[in-house]
Amino acid sequence: MIELDGLTKHYGDKVAVDHLTFTVRPGLVTGFLGPNGAGKSTTMRMMLDLDNPTAGSVRIDGEHYRRLTDPLRSVGALLDAKAVHGGRSAYHHLLCLAQSNGLPRRRVGEVLDTVGLTPVARKRSKGFSLGMGQRLGIAAALLGDPRVLLFDEPVNGLDPEGIHWIRNLMKNLAAQGRTVFVSSHLMSEMALTADHLVVIGRGRLLADTSMAEFIRGNSRSYVRLRSPEAERLRDVLHAERIAATEAADGTLEVDGVPSERLGELAARHGLVLHELSPQQASLEEAFMQLTAESVEYHAHDGEPVGGGPAEPVPPGVAAGPGGWGGDWRKKGS
Ligand SMILES: Nc1ncnc2c1ncn2[C@@H]1O[C@H](COP(=O)(O)OP(=O)(O)OP(=O)(O)O)[C@@H](O)[C@H]1O
Ligand SMILES: [Mg+2]
């Protein structure tokens, strides 16, 4: 278990992490999401005592990292896969870690097997591909057979096979009762991996919710209607007390009414439809809406990034009952 209590980090005037309080529980994969610069890596560094908090505290299985007698046996981490001496082989990199931490030599062979690097174990790591480097970093994290595991963006730059492998590894580690905390910018990736979700923006907690709850609250469907007789269509819907919102491109969006009923209604009134399409609000859009105000680094290509008005807002995501007003939000926000 990892417990954060008011964890805060300032770099001069910059508030990188702002009063974060949440608990990462064992037996689950907890996804840690936020846009670039949200404070994910800073939070993880403080968990490992690589950075001093300005205020607040973080405990690993009830202890401050500094008090852990055998840190590698308690918590394993992959923060930066490139933090390896390139002249050393994978085997010697791990052996060095094992020997300096009082871990048995046999663990080196075991973790090399787990991550699939045994065939290249004697090769210098500077020749490793990005995926091999990530695997070596994960092997180091697993070396002490720790109960708590932290991974900072482990799938960055990996091919689909590598992503699939890491996803299964995390799930298996959690199924063994370990605490697994993994950061990402990708909501869609986390939806497939994480059981629980912690979202931050500009260092602040935005959501602390189960993945199932997040999906339930944000993957509501709606129907898009396009007609050359938009005015009449609006009147017909209005007469049936069906609420429709008009998107920027002139199409109508109807929430909570099956497309069959809408199609039959249009037919009854002899209305021509050019489009009648059920839509699903994507979790990525939901995540962008949630973090829109806290995105620091915008691309300047003429279009706003991070949930700006250029994209029509899916009704399932818009503020209101069942949308963003759900009870999964951070308490007190
Ligand atoms: N050593 C440092 N000195 C000054 N500012 C820092 C330092 N480390 C981080 N920051 C700032 O703190 C903020 C949070 O950075 P952090 O790296 O924790 O974000 P992140 O969520 O991991 O981002 P990314 O998704 O890009 O990895 C950023 O604005 C960053 O510029
Ligand atoms: Mg980071």
Side-chain angles (χ1 to χ4, degrees):
M1 185 184 301
I2 313 171
E3 294 159 289
L4 284 75
D5 184 10
L7 193 67
T8 301
K9 179 71 189 179
H10 294 186
Y11 290 111
D13 289 345
K14 170 93 200 166
V15 183
V17 174
D18 196 359
H19 292 92
L20 284 187
T21 299
F22 62 86
T23 300
V24 189
R25 294 178 198 288
L28 303 172
V29 177
T30 299
F32 190 33
L33 273 108
N36 287 131
K40 303 180 295 295
S41 300
T42 305
T43 303
M44 288 177 142
R45 281 201 306 274
M46 288 193 283
M47 288 174 169
L48 296 167
D49 206 27
L50 294 170
D51 240 336
N52 281 324
T54 308
S57 66
V58 53
R59 286 172 196 285
I60 309 270
D61 283 340
E63 285 286 1
H64 187 275
Y65 187 91
R66 220 170 283 186
R67 296 241 179 84
L68 298 173
T69 39
D70 275 322
L72 246 54
R73 291 180 196 267
S74 302
V75 50
L78 167 66
L79 293 198
D80 178 2
K82 290 190 280 303
V84 174
H85 189 304
R88 264 184 214 143
S89 68
Y91 179 84
H92 281 111
H93 170 66
L94 295 170
L95 184 64
C96 176
L97 275 176
Q99 289 185 331
S100 55
N101 283 274
L103 301 170
R105 179 183 281 255
R106 68 170 166 76
R107 279 299 292 158
V108 173
E110 286 171 10
V111 295
L112 282 166
D113 261 352
T114 304
V115 303
L117 286 182
T118 305
V120 292
R122 300 285 174 171
K123 294 217 158 76
R124 285 172 195 226
S125 68
K126 69 178 169 201
F128 279 13
S129 70
L130 187 62
M132 288 158 80
Q134 296 287 74
R135 284 174 193 250
L136 180 56
I138 290 170
L142 297 175
L143 200 59
D145 197 16
R147 304 295 303 158
V148 176
L149 285 148
L150 310 181
F151 300 105
D152 195 8
E153 313 265 3
V155 303
N156 255 8
L158 290 192
D159 59 20
E161 194 276 330
I163 292 174
H164 185 74
W165 174 76
I166 288 196
R167 198 185 286 157
N168 284 338
L169 178 77
M170 310 246 162
K171 287 183 178 176
N172 287 336
L173 292 167
Q176 292 162 3
R178 297 176 212 260
T179 302
V180 181
F181 191 53
V182 48
S183 78
S184 175
H185 322 101
L186 292 178
M187 185 70 219
S188 46
E189 170 55 30
M190 278 298 110
L192 298 172
T193 315
D195 308 292
H196 197 86
L197 200 58
V198 171
V199 184
I200 63 168
R202 291 192 194 251
R204 291 206 188 146
L205 189 65
L206 298 177
D208 179 2
T209 173
S210 77
M211 196 72 220
E213 187 116 347
F214 187 86
I215 291 173
R216 210 168 30 245
N218 295 290
S219 53
R220 290 173 63 217
S221 53
Y222 64 103
V223 179
R224 192 159 64 201
L225 293 155
R226 192 157 51 87
S227 168
E229 302 167 273
E231 194 82 3
R232 269 190 66 216
L233 176 61
R234 253 195 306 270
D235 291 346
V236 166
L237 293 173
H238 185 70
E240 292 284 323
R241 295 177 184 276
I242 294 172
T245 48
E246 189 167 344
D249 61 359
T251 56
L252 294 180
E253 294 174 352
V254 174
D255 199 11
V257 180
S259 58
E260 291 83 354
R261 190 179 156 209
L262 295 169
E264 283 157 21
L265 191 62
R268 252 202 325 278
H269 289 82
L271 272 164
V272 173
L273 292 184
H274 287 172
E275 182 177 354
L276 172 68
S277 56
Q279 305 282 323
Q280 197 83 27
S282 83
L283 292 175
E284 210 66 58
E285 281 172 306
F287 171 58
M288 279 171 61
Q289 287 286 322
L290 177 57
T291 55
E293 282 177 20
S294 52
V295 172
E296 276 186 88
Y297 309 107
H298 290 270
H300 288 290
D301 58 359
E303 299 283 345
V305 173
E311 292 271 314
V313 177
V317 165
W324 287 103
D327 59 2
W328 52 265
R329 252 178 195 272
K330 168 172 86 95
K331 288 172 196 75
S333 70

